[in-house]
């Protein structure tokens, strides 16, 4: 199988000569289609930087990243915009919904911009909303729904374009434990049933236990990798806690 994501020996430096931070220090891995990869590690270990490099929000200093066969470290400004629009879906900790728009309009936005017919847009939005269990609240505004519902809307918005890769940075970070569990069940379902490839940064061992594998970062390097294989979610959760205690420090807030 051809990987959806190939990361080859990337480094990322921030700052200038006098005050330089090596945020990523030689990271390589691949993600296969429909894999659900989690990234964990202490604060400052490079998780967000890695996600930002994969999403082209930041440039790598050295190394290459291929998404769906395309080298994304060398794209023109115009191709970057098209790449993000066509290949990626994003879910952020703070939802990033547009408050003056209803949930329906938020989800539809990317399709509206593409100039798709209204009837077709409605059908896609309704179908996506069903998958995410937000059909009843589509005509509400973000300010009128809960954090968990906002995040499910953000997921709907992220997958409406059928992205090659869904990127999530701490998607459960602002949610209570019940909403967090619901969201993870939903992501798990999208991954299993729709075969969506997901790459998720998280501090939360419970959220991470829904992944098919976890990369642990330390000081900008991959320190360890766990593969779920045939293990139950509970067993995998225990394995994750074991690596976290090995890593020590503030790797995670354990529920
Ligand atoms: N824009 C920036 N300018 C300078 N240094 C940065 C910048 N962004 C991140 N860094 C540094 O790069 C390193 C990695 O940061 P990053 O945000 O990737 O960590 P993280 O693993 O996502 O942490 P957290 O769990 O706190 O979100 C840190 O030392 C951080 O201070
Ligand atoms: Mg971060």
């Amino acid at each position: 199988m051809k990987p959806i994501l190939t990361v080859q020996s990337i480094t990322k430096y921030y700052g200038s000569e006098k005050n330089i931070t090596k945020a990523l220090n030689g990271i390589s891995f691949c993600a296969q289609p429909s894999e659900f990869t989690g990234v964990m590690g202490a604060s400052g270990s490079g998780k967000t930087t890695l996600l930002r490099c994969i999403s082209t929000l930041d440039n790598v200093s050295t190394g290459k990243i291929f998404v769906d066969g395309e080298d994304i470290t060398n794209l023109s400004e115009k191709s970057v915009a098209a790449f993000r629009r066509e290949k990626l879906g994003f879910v952020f900790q703070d939802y990033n919904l547009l408050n003056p728009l209803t949930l329906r309009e938020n989800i539809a936005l990317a399709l509206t911009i593409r100039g798709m017919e209204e009837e077709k847009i409605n059908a896609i939005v309704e179908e996506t909303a069903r998958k995410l269990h937000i059909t009843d609240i589509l005509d509400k505004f973000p300010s009128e729904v809960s954090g968990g519902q906002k995040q499910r809307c953000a997921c709907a918005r992220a997958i409406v374009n059928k992205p090659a890769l869904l990127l999530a940075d701490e998607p459960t970070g602002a949610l209570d434990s019940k909403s967090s569990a619901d969201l993870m069940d939903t992501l798990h379902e999208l991954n299993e049933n729709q075969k969506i490839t997901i790459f998720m940064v998280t501090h939360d061992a419970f959220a991470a236990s829904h992944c098919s594998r976890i990369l642990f970062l330390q000081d900008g390097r991959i320190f360890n990798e766990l593969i779920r294989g045939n293990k139950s979610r509970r067993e995998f959760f225990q394995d994750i806690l074991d690596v976290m205690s090995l890593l020590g420090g503030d790797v995670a807030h354990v529920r």
Side-chain angles (χ1 to χ4, degrees), residues 102-105 126 134-141 144:
T102 62
L103 302 193
R104 182 189 299 279
E105 290 162 343
E126 292 282 343
I134 49 173
T135 309
D136 298 346
I137 52 168
L138 276 179
D139 293 311
K140 295 197 172 193
F141 290 92
E144 297 170 334

Side-chain angles (χ1 to χ4, degrees), residues 14 21 23 42-49 203:
Y14 285 114
T21 305
S43 181
S45 59
K47 304 180 298 295
T48 296
T49 306
H203 271 106

Side-chain angles (χ1 to χ4, degrees), residues 114-133:
R114 263 211 250 158
M116 192 182 273
E117 296 159 36
E118 203 177 316
E119 218 170 282
K120 214 166 158 193
I121 294 180
N122 275 333
I124 296 177
V125 170
E126 292 282 343
E127 191 202 328
T128 313
R130 245 193 320 277
K131 281 179 203 148
L132 288 148
H133 317 294

Side-chain angles (χ1 to χ4, degrees), residues 63-207:
K64 295 236 167 272
I65 299 175
F66 298 87
V67 174
D68 214 5
E70 186 176 11
D71 179 2
I72 59 151
T73 52
N74 239 333
L75 294 176
S76 67
E77 225 168 272
K78 204 170 145 199
S79 326
V80 162
F83 164 75
R84 277 193 216 141
R85 206 172 47 236
E86 288 161 19
K87 295 283 169 76
L88 300 183
F90 292 98
V91 180
F92 301 96
Q93 177 171 349
D94 54 2
Y95 325 120
N96 274 28
L97 296 176
L98 296 173
N99 291 323
L101 303 187
T102 62
L103 302 193
R104 182 189 299 279
E105 290 162 343
N106 266 285
I107 298 169
L109 196 58
L111 305 177
T112 313
I113 290 171
R114 263 211 250 158
M116 192 182 273
E117 296 159 36
E118 203 177 316
E119 218 170 282
K120 214 166 158 193
I121 294 180
N122 275 333
I124 296 177
V125 170
E126 292 282 343
E127 191 202 328
T128 313
R130 245 193 320 277
K131 281 179 203 148
L132 288 148
H133 317 294
I134 49 173
T135 309
D136 298 346
I137 52 168
L138 276 179
D139 293 311
K140 295 197 172 193
F141 290 92
S143 60
E144 297 170 334
V145 303
S146 73
Q149 290 168 330
K150 276 189 247 199
Q151 199 56 305
R152 288 212 296 281
C153 174
C155 285
R157 181 190 53 183
I159 62 165
V160 83
N161 264 345
K162 302 216 180 325
L165 191 58
L166 179 66
L167 300 170
D169 196 355
E170 304 276 4
T172 60
L175 303 181
D176 60 68
S177 49
K178 166 77 170 69
S179 311
S180 174
D182 286 350
L183 182 78
M184 288 319 303
D185 284 342
T186 309
L187 286 178
H188 193 92
E189 235 171 75
L190 290 174
N191 174 249
E192 289 257 309
N193 303 337
Q194 317 289 319
K195 304 293 174 215
I196 293 179
T197 311
I198 307 179
F199 189 79
M200 174 182 80
V201 167
T202 185
H203 271 106
D204 178 349
F206 172 77

